[in-house]
Amino acid sequence: MTILETGTAAGTSWMVCPGCGSMIYVKRYERGDRVCPECDNHGMLTAAQRIDLLLDQESATPIEYAETVADPLQFNDSRPYPERLDDARRRTGMTDAINCVRGTLGGVPVVVAAMDFRFLGGSLGSAVGEAVTASAEVALAERRPLILVTASGGARMQEGIVALMQMAKTSRALRRLDEAGVLTVSVITDPTYGGVAASYATSTDVIVAEPGARLGFAGPRVIRQTIGQTLPAGFQTAEFLLEHGIVDMICHRSGLRDRLIRLVGMTVRSARPYTNDAEAVITDPAGLPTADAWDRVRAARRLGRPTTLDHLAGAFEEFVELHGDRMSADCPAMIAGLARLDGVPVAVVGTQKGHTAAELAQRNYGMPTPSGYRKAARVFRLAAKLGLPVVTLVDTAGAYPGIEAEKQGQAVAIAESLKLLAGLPVPVVAVITGEGGSGGALALAVADRVLVCENAVYSVITAEGCASILWQDAAAAPRAARALRVDSAALLELGIADAVVPEPEGGADTHPAAATALLRRAVRQAVHELRAWSTSDLLAHRHARFRAFGVARNDLQENR
């Protein structure tokens, strides 16, 4: 940052924005939490400023951590390491490159560990590793969500192999929080590299990045010098990482506190009373209006039907979307995140189509890629960790069939989702809202309750595909639909569906808001009923449910 003092008598100061080069009035820059009003560049904040920005006023109290070895290697380059430490302490007023506190965020008790790049580039040494570990231990003992705000150039060279060991030390501390079901969130600020990026910054449940923040194991200079590659525009920035599935979201500094309040709020259980709503669903096939299976297929595909995002907006009180498979991509056909349903925190995963040709193309026609199923699996595991019920909303012709999908292990991704859901220790409610196509749909529907919307369909293959293969005539699709028994009444009779969610007269597309309200009633009923079950009962019932398919009743008991 370049500060230009002008008009000393008047007490005015101006600076040059490091992002766009514009002249900015310093007081305006500070009032805006160091975000440039011209280009939106997010400047560095100190650890103390980070804590003040995030936590409720006057709620922060320091966390003490053990004293560490000051100079484990007796390191000396152009200056002795202790001199560098003393100089950094004088300049920053900090003991080391991190501040750790207890506090509240929107009234929820949390632990915050905020790094400060001013102190030796925010490098990870023994003191930082011990501070992060101590913070995690406080979070574990007091069951408070842990929020890590990172800013680092990597491991501290002056501490050598001892600094490297802090990566393992902090990773073990976070693993204990995983085992105990305590939420962890990292806030990536610019820059976050090396040992911090490859340990606690990216091993949390949720990764939030500020706009433009750079994150990576090797810095651009190291990459260029080592392999001589030309790096793409925006390489390692938050925007690049969101596209490639590494971070969950990008959040502007002005909205960061609110976003974190919503996230940690998902760990707070609601005590709202619930009244049984037995009429929310239809469980008797005779109670459904008669309709031809092919008519149901066509109704299920109407573009006016509510999508997963429509249901999320209308059936849930709030929704925080999480992105990416933490490997390579963020599939737009799969929506996943945390929500509230009647005050109850839940995890929601669903396929997303669209209402227009442009939306369909953008969402890959609702057909998930392997990264979509791996994103879903991430959220399933998070739900299991936090003890949240899972709701899945399924409307897909099937998993995406393509060369890249096969290269990335489409079959493996689906298989992993099936096995994960089969043993998930929390209630799972699946709703077939439109098309339920083959294994691509089943990958989200291994559930304790499988609900089917009145005009939805569920099948091993599309009617057209079946007609082409078995009748060698795609025009025989209506006949195939009837033969496959894809409609909701047949699914109820076969025991595939536990219940049918009624739709407004004329179909969900005629009254989308009413259709969403009906879906909300049905899901509420299922979630509240299943929350009363023990984990052992849930797993035993789920096993028995799927164990029975295809087995004659008189043989089933013997084979269990």
Side-chain angles (χ1 to χ4, degrees):
M1 178 191 302
T2 303
I3 303 292
L4 303 178
E5 296 290 346
T6 58
T8 305
T12 58
S13 298
W14 294 81
M15 61 168 283
V16 175
C17 170
C20 65
S22 298
M23 295 293 292
I24 315 168
Y25 188 48
V26 171
K27 288 186 178 180
R28 183 185 181 191
Y29 185 65
E30 296 294 340
R31 283 196 303 268
D33 296 317
R34 297 190 175 182
V35 177
C36 175
E38 301 298 327
C39 71
D40 211 38
N41 177 270
H42 282 49
M44 288 185 183
L45 292 177
T46 67
Q49 288 170 325
R50 288 282 177 191
I51 290 167
D52 289 344
L53 176 69
L54 296 180
L55 291 183
D56 298 339
Q57 194 170 10
E58 297 182 356
S59 70
T61 58
I63 291 174
E64 301 296 329
Y65 57 91
E67 184 179 354
T68 57
V69 179
D71 187 9
L73 305 183
Q74 303 297 301
F75 195 92
N76 191 337
D77 48 10
S78 58
R79 295 172 62 192
Y81 176 43
E83 286 187 14
R84 291 190 183 277
L85 284 174
D86 290 342
D87 182 55
R89 287 166 181 156
R90 282 193 300 271
R91 286 187 297 101
T92 64
M94 299 175 66
T95 303
D96 214 286
I98 194 166
N99 277 1
C100 305
V101 298
R102 293 177 178 87
T104 58
L105 181 57
V108 177
V110 298
V111 170
V112 174
M115 300 188 72
D116 197 315
F117 197 81
R118 297 175 305 156
F119 196 106
L120 298 181
S123 50
L124 171 61
S126 298
V128 172
E130 179 61 27
V132 170
T133 301
S135 298
E137 290 171 347
V138 170
L140 177 64
E142 301 176 9
R143 299 199 65 79
R144 295 173 177 241
L146 173 65
I147 299 171
L148 300 163
V149 185
T150 63
S152 176
R156 191 168 296 176
M157 290 180 289
Q158 293 90 341
E159 294 189 19
I161 194 67
V162 178
L164 187 69
M165 292 302 108
Q166 305 308 309
M167 295 171 63
K169 178 177 179 174
T170 55
S171 296
R172 175 56 190 157
L174 263 66
R175 176 58 188 250
R176 295 180 71 200
L177 294 179
D178 288 342
E179 293 165 353
V182 176
L183 178 70
T184 56
V185 181
S186 57
V187 178
I188 307 298
T189 76
D190 188 54
T192 298
Y193 279 110
V196 171
S199 57
Y200 54 87
T202 55
S203 60
T204 54
D205 299 316
V206 181
I207 303 176
V208 183
E210 287 193 329
R214 292 167 294 169
L215 169 72
F217 181 59
R221 183 187 305 171
V222 172
I223 295 172
R224 290 191 195 98
Q225 289 176 348
T226 305
I227 61 176
Q229 283 188 333
T230 300
L231 304 180
F235 182 65
Q236 294 183 326
T237 63
E239 294 73 16
F240 179 92
L241 296 168
L242 182 67
E243 180 184 351
H244 290 86
I246 306 302
V247 303
D248 284 287
M249 64 189 78
I250 297 173
C251 188
H252 193 279
R253 192 170 290 168
S254 62
L256 181 58
R257 173 178 151 84
D258 178 66
R259 185 64 57 88
L260 293 176
I261 286 173
R262 294 173 66 195
L263 276 171
V264 301
M266 294 298 178
T267 65
V268 179
R269 303 293 189 270
S270 170
R272 288 189 198 177
Y274 176 73
T275 303
N276 185 56
D277 189 5
E279 297 182 356
V281 294
I282 299 167
T283 56
D284 182 358
L288 290 167
T290 57
D292 181 74
W294 180 242
D295 289 337
R296 297 288 197 201
V297 171
R298 291 190 296 174
R301 294 172 176 172
R302 290 175 191 158
L303 292 181
R305 289 180 69 83
T307 66
T308 288
L309 287 174
D310 294 330
H311 288 312
L312 283 166
F316 298 83
E317 286 94 87
E318 60 178 305
F319 175 62
V320 179
E321 187 172 0
L322 304 179
H323 291 272
D325 63 354
R326 296 274 176 95
M327 290 175 62
S328 61
D330 179 47
C331 175
M334 190 75 80
I335 303 295
L338 304 178
R340 282 191 180 274
L341 175 67
D342 198 34
V344 177
V346 297
V348 183
V349 174
T351 54
Q352 175 68 16
K353 287 185 177 178
H355 296 298
T356 66
E359 289 175 354
L360 286 167
Q362 179 190 2
R363 297 288 181 176
N364 208 30
Y365 297 87
M367 295 185 290
T369 60
S371 67
Y373 291 109
R374 289 177 179 129
K375 172 169 62 173
R378 273 192 54 222
V379 175
F380 293 151
R381 291 189 184 96
L382 178 58
K385 171 181 170 175
L386 300 179
L388 306 182
V390 170
V391 177
T392 65
L393 304 174
V394 183
D395 183 13
T396 180
Y400 179 70
I403 295 172
E404 286 304 311
E406 292 301 320
K407 284 182 179 179
Q408 295 162 14
Q410 184 71 285
V412 175
I414 291 171
E416 288 177 344
S417 185
L418 293 171
K419 189 164 67 171
L420 177 61
L421 282 175
L424 213 62
V426 293
V428 182
V429 177
V431 188
I432 312 299
T433 62
E435 285 188 281
S438 194
L442 181 61
L444 300 184
V446 180
D448 304 297
R449 287 283 186 277
V450 177
L451 311 179
V452 179
C453 289
E454 185 179 333
N455 283 310
V457 294
Y458 195 10
S459 177
V460 68
I461 192 173
T462 64
E464 294 90 340
C466 178
S468 295
I469 294 169
L470 298 184
W471 280 274
Q472 287 82 50
D473 182 6
R479 180 181 176 186
R482 290 187 286 272
L484 287 168
R485 304 194 69 192
V486 299
D487 58 287
S488 58
L491 294 167
L492 201 55
E493 288 176 2
L494 291 167
I496 304 300
D498 295 294
V500 172
V501 182
E503 295 186 16
E505 186 176 355
D509 54 305
T510 60
H511 300 285
T516 293
L518 289 167
L519 180 138
R520 173 183 165 82
R521 284 183 62 192
V523 174
R524 262 175 97 234
Q525 169 71 8
V527 167
H528 280 282
E529 179 185 338
L530 292 169
R531 285 178 72 213
W533 292 25
S534 67
T535 299
S536 59
D537 286 344
L538 283 169
L539 294 176
H541 175 268
R542 201 179 304 157
H543 170 79
R545 185 184 197 284
F546 289 92
R547 178 71 176 80
F549 290 129
V551 178
R553 289 180 181 275
N554 57 342
D555 290 337
L556 181 59
Q557 194 64 39
E558 297 175 10
N559 293 333
R560 280 184 178 172

